[in-house]
Amino acid sequence: MAKRKEKPRNQVATNRKAQHDYTITETYEAGVALTGTEIKSVRAGKINLKDGFAQFHRGELWLENVHISPYDAGNRFNHDPLRNRKLLLHKRELAKISGVIKTAGMTIVPLKVYLKHGYAKVLLGVAQGKHEYDKRETIKRREQDRELRRVLKNNF
């Protein structure tokens, strides 16, 4: 039976679909403005990045369509699971990202969420969408690498 790779202790969620659907050109680390019950849910690992993306509104970057489940022990003041969350970046980084995004076909996708010094951070990827034939090429290359590792493992 194959061993499962354990995720690092501070890593909360990853977006594996983004690696399949996009070619990631650059990455940025951003903080996320969360409410009290949201950070408790994130620490519990109840976050889904699958269809998430980031978009500019009035010069600020917002994380959209990321689902953070309501906190189980919360009360009537629990948060909306799909609300838009502000991303915290320096002005230089925001200007650089907005310049790159203005080119055709580029988007910003969340790649992973992790905890750093008690704060939730998001690794954002500036990405370009893949065509169907690019996705097939990626799968083919991955299977070839897996087969090569298997052969090398058996020989040594």
Side-chain angles (χ1 to χ4, degrees), residues 41-109:
S41 291
V42 168
R43 286 186 180 136
K46 302 203 174 183
I47 182 169
N48 185 358
L49 300 173
K50 187 177 177 185
D51 295 325
F53 61 96
Q55 211 170 27
F56 281 95
H57 293 289
R58 297 185 189 143
E60 297 177 337
L61 194 59
W62 291 81
L63 187 63
E64 300 183 9
N65 210 18
V66 171
H67 187 276
I68 298 177
S69 297
Y71 185 57
D72 294 334
N75 55 15
R76 64 182 180 188
F77 300 112
N78 250 343
H79 61 276
D80 176 29
L82 283 175
R83 80 174 186 92
N84 297 339
R85 294 159 184 95
K86 186 177 178 180
L87 294 173
L88 308 171
L89 289 161
H90 293 283
K91 283 185 180 180
R92 289 185 313 270
E93 292 175 325
L94 288 173
K96 187 175 179 182
I97 292 172
S98 67
V100 172
I101 292 304
K102 289 181 181 173
T103 60
M106 300 298 275
T107 188
I108 308 168
V109 292

